[in-house]
Amino acid sequence: MVHLSSVGLAVAASGLLQTVTAAPQVTTDSASTASTTSFLGGLFDFLDVANLTVTHHNGKLYGCKCSPGQLCWPQQSKWNQLNNTVGGNLKLHIPPAASCYNTFTGPLGTVNTYDAAACADVHANWEDEMWNVEKPGAALWTYFTNETCRPTLNPTDSCTLGYYGVYVITATTRNHIKAGIDFARRNNIRLVIRNTGHDFIGRSTGAGSLIINTHSFQDVQWISSYAGPGSYSGPAVTIAAGVIVTGECPTVGVAGGFIQGGGHGPWTTLKGLSADNVLAFEAITASGHFVTANEAQNSDLFWALKGGGPSAFAVILSVTMKTFNDVSSAGATFYVNNTHIGFDNDAYWNATTIFHKWSNHFVDNGLYVYYELFPFTLRAQPFVAIGKTVAELNAIVAPMLAELTANGIPYEWNPKSFPTFFDLYIDLFEPEAAGGSALTGGWLFDHNDVATNNDGIIEAFKTVFSPRPDIFSFIVGHLFNPGYGAPVSNSATHPSWRNATDFVITVLPVPLGASKAVKADYQNVLTNTIDQALRDASGSGATYVNEADPYQPNWQGHFWGSEYPRLKQIRKKWDPLGVFYSIATPGTEDWEVIQDTRLCRKL
């Protein structure tokens, strides 16, 4: 069977709901409220939804979610009532590093927070992914928190909430999740669904929000023969929302944003995207109803949840998926770096060109390859050959190695055999470091791109490395083909994935303490220089929903292609008033964050 890792992780408790020491500062908005449409009947009953608050900003009219300090913000008695409803699991959200500061100043007041032992723990574990996963609302990568409470050695420094949510429910029952959705809908509060915090583009946090943490849902039920609906009758597994499954990264919660983004990993070339292998969902809708979604029930929602975008259509409680027998596998590491070529720039780019030239060949032979490109470093760890021997892997890779040798480029190639893929994963895959601050972009190169414009792709990679003299970024690449063996897509993912070869992530580190102007400059460089070079070198028109620039032009088409119009209509059906929100997901064209913190819809 498919192996699961880290089953049973629980979210660490964050203490009792705390009383702040300073009264909130109240500001008033326009007294009028935006009119909303009432949706009647069963699953689509939105009669209790609160109206958006009308706001004028830069000469435009907006309907906004309620923010702390406004008259519309719920009184403490309402929050206390919610806390009772969720069994005492509602907490003020305090950033993980607050224990290193004398005080934390949030939008509701000031709390004494310094704790020497807890602060030492923060410094020791700030870059540890699993440590961050176990926090109730932490983001593993912190750029979209606004970096206003990072670890410090000076307790008198300032620690504020930044763009983190205000309150968090550490949900332990499905009714806790429902209570949070209902509260947000009835009180016009921005809602954030947070599972593990594995999120590159800020969808797991949001200013002024109520966070619902689903990570404590750890049930796993194995099914020997799935009974339908649908034609599949093989082995399956039902995975609750908080279970972490070994993908490429060890902190991915499969029954959430991973599936809703499509889901790629080492098995993708052989079995398609994870979304292609879903059989059913249990979920909670924006109207607070529990639903089953499969081929026969709520089939439109079923399709949309399979790759249609995270936190857009419903909150997933569990997912039922096909499983496949684990098999003996071969893996390898491959390096060309300055220990082999020194600082010979031509040799480095020649090696990279040759490596990437063979990428179609790799995926057409069933391989998956995870690689990184830094100056003078080409690092592929690992090559993955599921169900193959070392001899078979060596034979597939031999033409590339021969071409490197013919061009006088030294390299390191280290193949190994493993009794199972799980053993390969434990040995060759590496954890990522949390706590970094960076912008993320990326693009998909398909078979035709590699076959006809490999040199152009490499030129684009050079632009990524040095978009201008004062800025450096790097590349994380994934060679896989969800269309290997011509599987038929049954998910909402972009059609271009069926001819994929290489999905690259571009990572642009942002200086800590950067001003708004500097951040805007870096975002412009990412969108219009770095990723534009990749777009210009490709005809795929596609990129990955969860690991790409959400501010890119035409994100709708680039994320979903021809599937987007249908997704937008389904969103209008299941969440017509925007109870759920995450950036660059179907139906969010008219929503934006104004005044740095207020989530608003253009009227």
Side-chain angles (χ1 to χ4, degrees):
M1 287 293 189
V2 171
H3 291 270
L4 305 181
S5 70
S6 304
V7 174
L9 280 176
V11 177
S14 57
L16 299 174
L17 184 66
Q18 300 184 43
T19 303
V20 298
T21 58
Q25 186 176 17
V26 176
T27 59
T28 59
D29 244 342
S30 169
S32 60
T33 56
S35 62
T36 58
T37 303
S38 295
F39 291 78
L40 303 174
L43 297 177
F44 310 111
D45 184 354
F46 288 88
L47 280 175
D48 63 351
V49 70
N51 290 333
L52 299 171
T53 301
V54 169
T55 300
H56 295 269
H57 177 68
N58 288 341
K60 299 177 182 178
L61 197 62
Y62 293 87
C64 298
K65 299 283 188 179
C66 193
S67 299
Q70 295 181 294
L71 290 174
C72 58
W73 185 257
Q75 295 294 314
Q76 189 60 48
S77 59
K78 283 192 173 183
W79 290 105
N80 290 341
Q81 184 179 2
L82 174 61
N83 189 38
N84 291 334
T85 302
V86 299
N89 288 313
L90 176 72
K91 307 290 186 293
L92 273 178
H93 184 230
I94 298 177
S99 59
C100 295
Y101 298 78
N102 289 333
T103 59
F104 158 70
T105 301
L108 305 182
T110 299
V111 179
N112 295 324
T113 51
Y114 184 75
D115 182 317
C119 179
D121 185 54
V122 168
H123 282 284
N125 293 291
W126 184 251
E127 295 185 354
D128 183 272
E129 283 187 296
M130 294 310 303
W131 182 87
N132 280 277
V133 165
E134 294 169 8
K135 304 304 175 188
L140 269 63
W141 301 282
T142 55
Y143 177 83
F144 288 98
T145 72
N146 205 31
E147 308 288 6
T148 56
C149 191
R150 292 181 65 86
T152 183
L153 297 174
N154 181 6
T156 64
D157 285 345
S158 171
C159 169
T160 61
L161 190 61
Y163 299 156
Y164 273 125
V166 180
Y167 284 99
V168 58
I169 298 171
T170 304
T172 59
T173 73
R174 57 177 50 200
N175 282 323
H176 293 169
I177 298 176
K178 171 179 166 53
I181 295 171
D182 290 343
F183 187 88
R185 184 182 65 251
R186 292 166 180 166
N187 292 280
N188 187 29
I189 302 298
R190 181 176 181 179
L191 186 62
V192 166
I193 311 303
R194 190 269 193 190
N195 184 354
T196 69
H198 182 112
D199 170 25
F200 290 120
I201 56 179
R203 289 174 172 151
S204 292
T205 192
S209 66
L210 168 64
I211 304 167
I212 301 176
N213 181 302
T214 65
H215 190 58
S216 66
F217 292 78
Q218 294 290 321
D219 292 340
V220 178
Q221 297 180 0
W222 299 99
I223 303 167
S224 59
S225 182
Y226 183 69
S231 60
Y232 181 77
S233 59
V237 64
T238 298
I239 304 169
V243 173
I244 292 177
V245 175
T246 54
E248 186 274 306
C249 297
T251 53
V252 173
V254 66
F258 179 68
I259 290 288
Q260 291 170 303
H264 68 82
W267 284 74
T268 296
T269 295
L270 298 183
K271 302 300 182 182
L273 295 166
S274 291
D276 299 328
N277 292 287
V278 174
L279 300 168
F281 294 101
E282 296 294 329
I284 307 180
T285 68
S287 57
H289 289 81
F290 297 97
V291 297
T292 296
N294 54 40
E295 287 185 28
Q297 297 173 269
N298 303 307
S299 59
D300 60 340
L301 179 62
F302 176 56
W303 178 81
L305 288 172
K306 296 185 297 177
S311 298
F313 302 95
V315 177
I316 296 175
L317 296 169
S318 70
V319 59
T320 300
M321 304 181 67
K322 301 174 185 177
T323 61
F324 307 97
N325 290 332
D326 202 348
V327 292
S328 60
S329 301
T333 59
F334 168 72
Y335 309 116
V336 176
N337 55 41
N338 58 15
T339 63
H340 307 108
I341 59 172
F343 296 96
D344 186 335
N345 200 49
D346 289 339
Y348 170 76
W349 285 114
N350 286 339
T352 302
T353 301
I354 293 168
F355 165 78
H356 203 267
K357 167 189 167 183
W358 288 97
S359 55
N360 280 349
H361 172 74
F362 298 150
V363 300
D364 287 346
N365 280 274
L367 302 188
Y368 168 92
V369 184
Y370 177 89
Y371 71 92
E372 299 164 327
L373 295 178
F374 298 92
F376 306 105
T377 299
L378 163 56
R379 184 176 188 267
Q381 181 169 345
F383 274 72
V384 177
I386 295 170
K388 297 185 186 298
T389 65
V390 165
E392 290 172 315
L393 174 58
N394 282 338
I396 294 169
V397 177
M400 179 195 74
L401 301 182
E403 187 169 354
L404 289 169
T405 299
N407 281 270
I409 300 172
Y411 58 83
E412 183 178 335
W413 171 252
N414 303 300
K416 296 177 67 175
S417 62
F418 298 89
T420 67
F421 165 75
F422 184 73
D423 291 299
L424 182 156
Y425 181 87
I426 295 300
D427 187 56
L428 294 184
F429 282 84
E430 300 171 307
E432 294 182 350
S437 183
L439 287 166
T440 301
W443 200 249
L444 168 65
F445 295 102
D446 63 20
H447 270 47
N448 187 63
D449 295 331
V450 175
T452 65
N453 193 34
N454 192 60
D455 288 346
I457 294 171
I458 300 305
E459 288 301 312
F461 287 177
K462 294 177 182 179
T463 299
V464 173
F465 272 24
S466 184
R468 76 181 189 212
D470 62 323
I471 291 180
F472 158 77
S473 62
F474 60 91
I475 289 172
V476 176
H478 314 74
L479 306 183
F480 60 81
N481 178 15
Y484 177 81
V488 177
S489 172
N490 60 14
S491 63
T493 52
H494 198 301
S496 288
W497 286 109
R498 304 307 151 177
N499 192 39
T501 292
D502 185 9
F503 168 63
V504 301
I505 299 174
T506 55
V507 183
L508 175 58
V510 179
L512 294 177
S515 66
K516 290 181 185 178
V518 169
K519 290 179 179 179
D521 176 45
Y522 272 61
Q523 179 65 59
N524 179 62
V525 169
L526 176 71
T527 300
N528 296 312
T529 302
I530 292 173
D531 278 8
Q532 187 62 53
L534 302 181
R535 290 192 290 268
D536 290 344
S538 170
S540 75
T543 189
Y544 186 61
V545 174
N546 288 344
E547 296 168 320
D549 179 9
Y551 299 101
Q552 66 186 290
N554 188 26
W555 54 263
Q556 299 92 333
H558 294 156
F559 284 152
W560 290 285
S562 59
E563 308 291 11
Y564 187 77
R566 183 183 175 195
L567 285 167
K568 188 174 180 180
Q569 286 301 117
I570 295 172
R571 176 65 179 273
K572 287 182 179 178
K573 172 183 174 181
W574 288 92
D575 185 19
L577 303 177
V579 175
F580 301 128
Y581 172 83
S582 60
I583 191 169
T585 52
T588 60
E589 291 88 347
D590 293 333
W591 289 89
E592 65 178 274
V593 174
I594 67 171
Q595 300 166 344
D596 291 333
T597 59
R598 302 189 64 188
L599 179 62
C600 302
R601 173 183 267 163
K602 300 171 190 174
L603 298 179

PDB file of all heavy atoms in Angstrom, residues 182-197:
ATOM      1  N   ASP A 182     -19.555  29.363   9.921  1.00  0.00           N
ATOM      2  CA  ASP A 182     -20.801  30.075  10.208  1.00  0.00           C
ATOM      3  C   ASP A 182     -20.520  31.433  10.846  1.00  0.00           C
ATOM      4  O   ASP A 182     -21.157  32.446  10.509  1.00  0.00           O
ATOM      5  CB  ASP A 182     -21.680  29.244  11.148  1.00  0.00           C
ATOM      6  CG  ASP A 182     -22.264  28.007  10.474  1.00  0.00           C
ATOM      7  OD1 ASP A 182     -22.260  27.941   9.229  1.00  0.00           O
ATOM      8  OD2 ASP A 182     -22.723  27.105  11.204  1.00  0.00           O
ATOM      9  N   PHE A 183     -19.568  31.487  11.774  1.00  0.00           N
ATOM     10  CA  PHE A 183     -19.250  32.748  12.445  1.00  0.00           C
ATOM     11  C   PHE A 183     -18.711  33.765  11.446  1.00  0.00           C
ATOM     12  O   PHE A 183     -19.111  34.943  11.467  1.00  0.00           O
ATOM     13  CB  PHE A 183     -18.220  32.494  13.544  1.00  0.00           C
ATOM     14  CG  PHE A 183     -17.940  33.691  14.413  1.00  0.00           C
ATOM     15  CD1 PHE A 183     -18.700  33.939  15.542  1.00  0.00           C
ATOM     16  CD2 PHE A 183     -16.917  34.574  14.106  1.00  0.00           C
ATOM     17  CE1 PHE A 183     -18.451  35.043  16.348  1.00  0.00           C
ATOM     18  CE2 PHE A 183     -16.650  35.678  14.894  1.00  0.00           C
ATOM     19  CZ  PHE A 183     -17.425  35.912  16.035  1.00  0.00           C
ATOM     20  N   ALA A 184     -17.803  33.328  10.584  1.00  0.00           N
ATOM     21  CA  ALA A 184     -17.239  34.246   9.586  1.00  0.00           C
ATOM     22  C   ALA A 184     -18.321  34.753   8.645  1.00  0.00           C
ATOM     23  O   ALA A 184     -18.349  35.940   8.300  1.00  0.00           O
ATOM     24  CB  ALA A 184     -16.133  33.545   8.805  1.00  0.00           C
ATOM     25  N   ARG A 185     -19.204  33.870   8.219  1.00  0.00           N
ATOM     26  CA  ARG A 185     -20.267  34.270   7.291  1.00  0.00           C
ATOM     27  C   ARG A 185     -21.237  35.244   7.953  1.00  0.00           C
ATOM     28  O   ARG A 185     -21.650  36.240   7.359  1.00  0.00           O
ATOM     29  CB  ARG A 185     -21.020  33.016   6.822  1.00  0.00           C
ATOM     30  CG  ARG A 185     -22.093  33.281   5.777  1.00  0.00           C
ATOM     31  CD  ARG A 185     -22.842  32.017   5.385  1.00  0.00           C
ATOM     32  NE  ARG A 185     -23.620  31.468   6.491  1.00  0.00           N
ATOM     33  CZ  ARG A 185     -23.313  30.342   7.139  1.00  0.00           C
ATOM     34  NH1 ARG A 185     -22.258  29.636   6.798  1.00  0.00           N
ATOM     35  NH2 ARG A 185     -24.070  29.923   8.152  1.00  0.00           N
ATOM     36  N   ARG A 186     -21.600  34.990   9.186  1.00  0.00           N
ATOM     37  CA  ARG A 186     -22.606  35.798   9.876  1.00  0.00           C
ATOM     38  C   ARG A 186     -22.060  37.128  10.374  1.00  0.00           C
ATOM     39  O   ARG A 186     -22.833  38.049  10.655  1.00  0.00           O
ATOM     40  CB  ARG A 186     -23.173  35.001  11.054  1.00  0.00           C
ATOM     41  CG  ARG A 186     -23.993  33.795  10.634  1.00  0.00           C
ATOM     42  CD  ARG A 186     -24.250  32.847  11.788  1.00  0.00           C
ATOM     43  NE  ARG A 186     -25.047  31.691  11.375  1.00  0.00           N
ATOM     44  CZ  ARG A 186     -25.196  30.592  12.103  1.00  0.00           C
ATOM     45  NH1 ARG A 186     -24.589  30.492  13.298  1.00  0.00           N
ATOM     46  NH2 ARG A 186     -25.935  29.600  11.658  1.00  0.00           N
ATOM     47  N   ASN A 187     -20.747  37.229  10.488  1.00  0.00           N
ATOM     48  CA  ASN A 187     -20.149  38.447  11.036  1.00  0.00           C
ATOM     49  C   ASN A 187     -19.238  39.168  10.045  1.00  0.00           C
ATOM     50  O   ASN A 187     -18.543  40.103  10.435  1.00  0.00           O
ATOM     51  CB  ASN A 187     -19.368  38.110  12.308  1.00  0.00           C
ATOM     52  CG  ASN A 187     -20.274  37.686  13.444  1.00  0.00           C
ATOM     53  OD1 ASN A 187     -20.869  38.522  14.118  1.00  0.00           O
ATOM     54  ND2 ASN A 187     -20.394  36.370  13.647  1.00  0.00           N
ATOM     55  N   ASN A 188     -19.247  38.732   8.780  1.00  0.00           N
ATOM     56  CA  ASN A 188     -18.476  39.405   7.735  1.00  0.00           C
ATOM     57  C   ASN A 188     -16.981  39.452   8.062  1.00  0.00           C
ATOM     58  O   ASN A 188     -16.316  40.478   7.935  1.00  0.00           O
ATOM     59  CB  ASN A 188     -19.005  40.832   7.505  1.00  0.00           C
ATOM     60  CG  ASN A 188     -18.368  41.513   6.322  1.00  0.00           C
ATOM     61  OD1 ASN A 188     -17.964  40.859   5.356  1.00  0.00           O
ATOM     62  ND2 ASN A 188     -18.260  42.831   6.382  1.00  0.00           N
ATOM     63  N   ILE A 189     -16.442  38.307   8.496  1.00  0.00           N
ATOM     64  CA  ILE A 189     -15.039  38.199   8.877  1.00  0.00           C
ATOM     65  C   ILE A 189     -14.284  37.441   7.792  1.00  0.00           C
ATOM     66  O   ILE A 189     -14.759  36.419   7.279  1.00  0.00           O
ATOM     67  CB  ILE A 189     -14.879  37.458  10.225  1.00  0.00           C
ATOM     68  CG1 ILE A 189     -15.664  38.174  11.330  1.00  0.00           C
ATOM     69  CG2 ILE A 189     -13.406  37.340  10.608  1.00  0.00           C
ATOM     70  CD1 ILE A 189     -15.206  39.573  11.622  1.00  0.00           C
ATOM     71  N   ARG A 190     -13.112  37.920   7.450  1.00  0.00           N
ATOM     72  CA  ARG A 190     -12.251  37.176   6.524  1.00  0.00           C
ATOM     73  C   ARG A 190     -11.901  35.829   7.145  1.00  0.00           C
ATOM     74  O   ARG A 190     -11.584  35.737   8.341  1.00  0.00           O
ATOM     75  CB  ARG A 190     -10.984  37.967   6.222  1.00  0.00           C
ATOM     76  CG  ARG A 190     -10.042  37.279   5.241  1.00  0.00           C
ATOM     77  CD  ARG A 190      -8.848  38.153   4.905  1.00  0.00           C
ATOM     78  NE  ARG A 190      -7.966  37.507   3.944  1.00  0.00           N
ATOM     79  CZ  ARG A 190      -6.861  38.059   3.459  1.00  0.00           C
ATOM     80  NH1 ARG A 190      -6.509  39.281   3.844  1.00  0.00           N
ATOM     81  NH2 ARG A 190      -6.126  37.399   2.578  1.00  0.00           N
ATOM     82  N   LEU A 191     -11.947  34.784   6.321  1.00  0.00           N
ATOM     83  CA  LEU A 191     -11.732  33.422   6.791  1.00  0.00           C
ATOM     84  C   LEU A 191     -10.504  32.832   6.099  1.00  0.00           C
ATOM     85  O   LEU A 191     -10.359  32.944   4.880  1.00  0.00           O
ATOM     86  CB  LEU A 191     -12.962  32.575   6.480  1.00  0.00           C
ATOM     87  CG  LEU A 191     -13.005  31.144   7.017  1.00  0.00           C
ATOM     88  CD1 LEU A 191     -12.969  31.127   8.539  1.00  0.00           C
ATOM     89  CD2 LEU A 191     -14.266  30.435   6.503  1.00  0.00           C
ATOM     90  N   VAL A 192      -9.637  32.194   6.880  1.00  0.00           N
ATOM     91  CA  VAL A 192      -8.456  31.510   6.350  1.00  0.00           C
ATOM     92  C   VAL A 192      -8.503  30.059   6.813  1.00  0.00           C
ATOM     93  O   VAL A 192      -8.729  29.787   7.997  1.00  0.00           O
ATOM     94  CB  VAL A 192      -7.153  32.177   6.839  1.00  0.00           C
ATOM     95  CG1 VAL A 192      -5.949  31.274   6.581  1.00  0.00           C
ATOM     96  CG2 VAL A 192      -6.963  33.522   6.154  1.00  0.00           C
ATOM     97  N   ILE A 193      -8.326  29.132   5.872  1.00  0.00           N
ATOM     98  CA  ILE A 193      -8.237  27.718   6.206  1.00  0.00           C
ATOM     99  C   ILE A 193      -6.765  27.330   6.191  1.00  0.00           C
ATOM    100  O   ILE A 193      -6.081  27.449   5.182  1.00  0.00           O
ATOM    101  CB  ILE A 193      -9.026  26.858   5.203  1.00  0.00           C
ATOM    102  CG1 ILE A 193     -10.435  27.426   5.012  1.00  0.00           C
ATOM    103  CG2 ILE A 193      -9.068  25.406   5.677  1.00  0.00           C
ATOM    104  CD1 ILE A 193     -11.245  27.548   6.280  1.00  0.00           C
ATOM    105  N   ARG A 194      -6.278  26.855   7.330  1.00  0.00           N
ATOM    106  CA  ARG A 194      -4.856  26.535   7.462  1.00  0.00           C
ATOM    107  C   ARG A 194      -4.724  25.091   7.909  1.00  0.00           C
ATOM    108  O   ARG A 194      -5.269  24.702   8.939  1.00  0.00           O
ATOM    109  CB  ARG A 194      -4.211  27.487   8.470  1.00  0.00           C
ATOM    110  CG  ARG A 194      -2.680  27.427   8.533  1.00  0.00           C
ATOM    111  CD  ARG A 194      -2.173  26.445   9.535  1.00  0.00           C
ATOM    112  NE  ARG A 194      -0.741  26.599   9.806  1.00  0.00           N
ATOM    113  CZ  ARG A 194      -0.015  25.742  10.498  1.00  0.00           C
ATOM    114  NH1 ARG A 194      -0.558  24.646  10.994  1.00  0.00           N
ATOM    115  NH2 ARG A 194       1.271  25.966  10.706  1.00  0.00           N
ATOM    116  N   ASN A 195      -3.982  24.303   7.132  1.00  0.00           N
ATOM    117  CA  ASN A 195      -3.755  22.908   7.487  1.00  0.00           C
ATOM    118  C   ASN A 195      -2.351  22.752   8.068  1.00  0.00           C
ATOM    119  O   ASN A 195      -2.171  22.666   9.271  1.00  0.00           O
ATOM    120  CB  ASN A 195      -3.965  22.028   6.254  1.00  0.00           C
ATOM    121  CG  ASN A 195      -3.841  20.546   6.549  1.00  0.00           C
ATOM    122  OD1 ASN A 195      -3.499  20.156   7.651  1.00  0.00           O
ATOM    123  ND2 ASN A 195      -4.117  19.722   5.568  1.00  0.00           N
ATOM    124  N   THR A 196      -1.332  22.770   7.209  1.00  0.00           N
ATOM    125  CA  THR A 196       0.046  22.629   7.700  1.00  0.00           C
ATOM    126  C   THR A 196       0.844  23.917   7.612  1.00  0.00           C
ATOM    127  O   THR A 196       1.926  24.003   8.194  1.00  0.00           O
ATOM    128  CB  THR A 196       0.805  21.551   6.898  1.00  0.00           C
ATOM    129  OG1 THR A 196       1.018  22.015   5.560  1.00  0.00           O
ATOM    130  CG2 THR A 196       0.028  20.239   6.877  1.00  0.00           C
ATOM    131  N   GLY A 197       0.366  24.901   6.871  1.00  0.00           N
ATOM    132  CA  GLY A 197       1.139  26.118   6.655  1.00  0.00           C
ATOM    133  C   GLY A 197       2.146  26.010   5.533  1.00  0.00           C
ATOM    134  O   GLY A 197       2.927  26.933   5.302  1.00  0.00           O
TER     135      GLY A 197
END
